[in-house]
Amino acid sequence: MNDLMQDPMVLRQIIMDHYEYPRNHELTHDETYMSRHMASDSCIDDIYVEAKIHDHVIEDIRFDGVACTIATASTSIMSELLKGKTIDEANKIIENYHAMIDGKDYDEDLLEEAVCMHTVGKQANRIKCATIGWKAIEEMIKESE
Amino acid sequence: MIDVEKIRKDFPILKRKMQGHDLIYFDNAATTFKPQCVIDAVVHYYTELGANAHRGDYELSYLVDSEYEGTRKAVAGFIGADEKEIVFTSGASASLNQIAYGYSRFLKQGDVILSCEAEHASSILPWMRVAEEKGCIIKYIELDEEGRLSIDSLKQLLLDGKVKVVALAHVTNVLGYEAPMKEICALAHQAGAIVVMDMAQSAPHMKINVKDIDCDFAGFSAHKMCGPTGLGVMYGKYELLSEMEPYMLGGGSNARFDMCGNLLLKEAPYKYETGTPPIEAVIGFKAALQYLDQIGMDEIHAYEKELHEYAIEKLSKLDNITLYNPHADACIITFNVKDVFAQDAATFFNSQGVAVRAGHHCAKLLTQKLQTSATLRASCTFYNTKEEVDRFVDICSQASIENCLGVFF
């Protein structure tokens, strides 16, 4: 992996960039999209995630809502990373992302910018912020099958 | 004047560290730590008493009963009520739910229940369900610019003669304002309504006499006042407690029943105490009340007020901090770090050993009064110190978005 991606300054900048300029940050409210409202009482993040999955391909992912830096950035990165992927490819990326968050072995190359979340476990109560958007897409992938 | 250094030695948990720093616990509105005497009382039950309450015919069970009832007497004394008006519940939420369920039998379609937009969920949600089931209407007493209850609005709403219940927090949990409950009770009674007072945020911090205030019902939690978790109190005027029904039935609360459906409940307060209660918590709660009494509720209130003024004076000098309730009556400071989402800031405080709560609030309260979607809350009690406030203020001044993200690397 690129050495730059080991540099905390760079990783922090990736998070800030996705927080200040979140990608795919507009809901379509289109009926051909699936939708998930992700909000729990143990966490103040409150986001909606939409996905269009057709023929085992994730054609589009959208999100919006009120959330912290970690939840916003991790969901924004997820939306870029998984858009256009087949369900098999996406599942492999998701599996590696969770392995990384849980401190297990993972394939950095598959995760691209998402590696900026690799130390989120240092603040254990924020793991749910780093996975909230990912859980939404997992649920929608399951629903599509 | 209270001796805070001496008091701190009574709380073993205050010696611990969090994230490598001395712990500053500013989440006392959520729950408080326990002094050694409360921990000892809980252990005393498990090591020396052990038996169930209100059940057996042997010495141990008699000893349990007398300690259990001793707490009821202590609670009654603490809030100026009669022993038989004190019901043990699992917490303020259970108390407020029982009151709403129990009193709903006296309500009919079109009756009005008054609440306000700054209420805790446990104060308003039980009444929302009652309203739905009974066809009652919930109306909200207006708040002024600061977020305080408007007495003029209350008077206006009472005019139509349909108001049957006024359910309000004595001290609100987000903004920390004290409602003038004595005046509210007098106005409500004149209009033919009863008053339910949520004391969860007031009972731990001030001397309260429910007879003087003349509320009809009240509820509070032991764990917010140095007592054990899993225990609360429902206070009700005896006549009302006698007329109402418990929402739970079962062992301990009935006197007789048969298979034909005949049921004779015990008298209040016992008819509300079904099943085995958290006996160790009840016994521990007496130690907590004695501990608070020994320090003095008036002294506690005065000290917390002083601590609050000290904190507000320092925090208001920081450019990066927005204060939402600088004139709160309780030591509850609701704030934000400018341009930092509340939860990101809370994590930074955690990394520095400071426990504060990030929360989102009822949409209307927030959008209209606070104009933000989420806030941080620092809530202090009598074992917090000015030195802790100093360190907290210093950490506030460093809480930039860069530093808030820095904690992850």
Side-chain angles (χ1 to χ4, degrees):
Chain A
M1 190 171 75
N2 189 334
D3 279 348
L4 272 179
M5 295 301 260
Q6 307 279 9
D7 182 351
M9 275 302 285
V10 174
L11 299 180
R12 188 149 61 170
Q13 271 165 15
I14 293 172
I15 296 177
M16 274 311 287
D17 183 47
H18 279 272
Y19 179 59
E20 289 181 327
Y21 310 101
R23 322 294 197 266
N24 303 307
H25 197 240
E26 191 183 1
L27 297 176
T28 63
H29 300 292
D30 182 327
E31 279 180 12
T32 62
Y33 282 67
M34 285 180 281
S35 176
R36 282 289 182 286
H37 182 200
M38 305 299 283
S40 79
D41 53 0
S42 61
C43 169
I44 62 177
D45 298 320
D46 188 337
I47 63 169
Y48 290 84
V49 184
E50 288 181 343
K52 185 173 188 175
I53 303 177
H54 187 245
D55 262 352
H56 300 281
V57 174
I58 302 173
E59 292 180 353
D60 195 13
I61 302 173
R62 304 254 152 198
F63 80 107
D64 201 355
V66 177
C68 66
T69 48
I70 299 299
T72 305
S74 63
T75 306
S76 171
I77 291 168
M78 176 279 288
S79 72
E80 280 200 320
L81 199 52
L82 300 188
K83 208 165 154 172
K85 298 284 195 296
T86 66
I87 283 178
D88 288 344
E89 289 166 340
N91 279 335
K92 199 160 182 203
I93 293 170
I94 292 167
E95 193 184 311
N96 273 276
Y97 184 75
H98 284 303
M100 175 185 80
I101 297 288
D102 294 342
K104 296 176 189 149
D105 289 339
Y106 63 97
D107 184 345
E108 296 166 335
D109 294 331
L110 275 179
L111 294 182
E112 300 179 25
E113 283 191 325
V115 297
C116 69
M117 295 288 161
H118 81 283
T119 49
V120 77
K122 274 179 129 177
Q123 298 289 331
N125 57 328
R126 300 299 295 282
I127 287 173
K128 56 185 183 283
C129 307
T131 51
I132 185 169
W134 290 74
K135 284 199 174 118
I137 192 71
E138 282 176 75
E139 285 181 19
M140 288 187 278
I141 287 173
K142 275 203 191 103
E143 188 189 319
S144 77
E145 284 173 337
Chain B
M1 196 56 211
I2 74 173
D3 183 350
V4 68
E5 283 315 312
K6 182 168 167 287
I7 283 169
R8 288 179 70 81
K9 293 196 178 82
D10 297 331
F11 290 81
I13 203 167
L14 290 174
K15 293 191 201 88
R16 71 158 292 161
K17 295 194 178 269
M18 191 166 80
Q19 299 264 306
H21 296 274
D22 286 342
L23 169 65
I24 295 184
Y25 184 71
F26 278 3
D27 195 17
N28 293 285
T31 196
T32 53
F33 292 155
K34 320 305 171 199
Q36 190 63 49
C37 62
V38 170
I39 299 166
D40 289 345
V42 169
V43 172
H44 157 70
Y45 168 73
Y46 283 126
T47 49
E48 287 163 77
L49 298 173
N52 211 326
H54 306 133
R55 294 291 197 284
D57 297 311
Y58 42 90
E59 186 183 333
L60 280 185
S61 76
Y62 173 79
L63 290 173
V64 169
D65 279 357
S66 76
E67 293 213 21
Y68 188 88
E69 292 305 316
T71 302
R72 200 185 307 275
K73 194 172 176 185
V75 173
F78 196 80
I79 62 167
D82 241 26
E83 269 171 71
K84 60 183 185 182
E85 297 174 318
I86 301 300
V87 177
F88 291 123
T89 66
S90 69
S93 295
S95 303
L96 297 170
N97 271 278
Q98 167 66 68
I99 294 163
Y101 171 87
Y103 199 76
S104 67
R105 67 185 304 195
F106 306 117
L107 299 176
K108 56 181 193 313
Q109 194 170 3
D111 285 346
V112 172
I113 297 159
L114 291 188
S115 179
C116 89
E117 290 160 7
E119 285 305 303
H120 188 277
S122 295
S123 174
I124 180 64
L125 294 182
W127 292 108
M128 283 190 179
R129 185 152 70 186
V130 166
E132 197 181 310
E133 285 174 1
K134 289 278 176 172
C136 302
I137 300 152
I138 298 202
K139 290 187 178 172
Y140 296 92
I141 304 166
E142 281 176 22
L143 305 177
D144 69 12
E145 281 308 302
E146 258 196 328
R148 276 178 203 274
L149 201 74
S150 156
I151 292 294
D152 284 343
S153 167
L154 169 67
K155 286 179 180 166
Q156 202 64 36
L157 287 162
L158 286 171
L159 281 180
D160 72 359
K162 289 184 181 160
V163 177
K164 293 292 181 289
V165 175
V166 180
L168 292 171
H170 191 189
V171 169
T172 55
N173 72 311
V174 176
L175 297 173
Y177 295 132
E178 183 185 346
M181 291 307 298
K182 193 172 173 174
E183 186 185 358
I184 290 168
C185 288
L187 289 166
H189 291 156
Q190 255 170 36
I194 59 138
V195 177
V196 182
M197 179 163 85
D198 174 3
M199 287 168 49
Q201 297 299 342
S202 60
H205 305 289
M206 59 180 76
K207 194 167 228 160
I208 296 168
N209 186 309
V210 291
K211 293 286 176 200
D212 179 54
I213 289 173
D214 201 24
C215 58
D216 300 275
F217 293 102
F220 55 99
S221 296
H223 71 90
K224 291 190 200 287
M225 45 203 303
C226 299
T229 55
L231 177 69
V233 170
M234 170 173 80
Y235 159 78
K237 287 179 177 168
Y238 192 70
E239 195 184 294
L240 290 168
L241 286 184
S242 297
E243 287 170 11
M244 280 193 343
E245 292 287 318
Y247 70 83
M248 280 208 298
L249 296 174
S253 62
N254 70 84
R256 300 274 181 282
F257 75 101
D258 62 32
M259 293 307 157
C260 304
N262 298 309
L263 167 65
L264 177 67
L265 289 174
K266 287 183 180 173
E267 298 290 317
Y270 305 105
K271 70 174 178 182
Y272 295 102
E273 294 177 8
T274 291
T276 296
I279 303 167
E280 81 285 17
V282 173
I283 291 172
F285 191 32
K286 185 178 175 186
L289 294 174
Q290 285 172 334
Y291 182 77
L292 293 176
D293 262 338
Q294 205 184 334
I295 299 169
M297 291 312 291
D298 287 337
E299 283 73 15
I300 285 172
H301 191 59
Y303 176 75
E304 290 175 359
K305 196 171 158 60
E306 186 186 322
L307 200 60
H308 180 246
E309 280 166 10
Y310 181 78
I312 293 297
E313 196 205 325
K314 293 215 152 192
L315 287 169
S316 55
K317 287 181 184 146
L318 297 183
D319 291 336
N320 68 329
I321 299 293
T322 306
L323 294 170
Y324 297 100
N325 61 342
H327 305 117
D329 303 304
C331 202
I332 291 176
I333 301 165
T334 298
F335 68 105
N336 261 324
V337 180
K338 280 177 191 156
D339 303 323
V340 180
F341 191 68
Q343 198 160 20
D344 293 315
T347 298
F348 177 66
F349 284 108
N350 172 55
S351 75
Q352 302 295 311
V354 179
V356 293
R357 168 72 63 97
H360 60 154
H361 313 284
C362 159
K364 212 168 174 188
L365 172 70
L366 274 166
T367 48
Q368 293 181 1
K369 303 293 173 198
L370 307 184
Q371 295 176 336
T372 178
S373 60
T375 57
L376 292 162
R377 180 184 69 183
S379 51
C380 303
T381 191
F382 60 88
Y383 50 65
N384 293 123
T385 66
K386 287 188 179 170
E387 291 72 29
E388 287 180 318
V389 170
D390 289 339
R391 220 183 98 210
F392 170 67
V393 171
D394 186 44
I395 294 163
C396 280
S397 70
Q398 301 165 35
S400 61
I401 183 80
E402 289 76 19
N403 286 339
C404 289
L405 273 183
V407 303
F408 292 103
F409 299 103

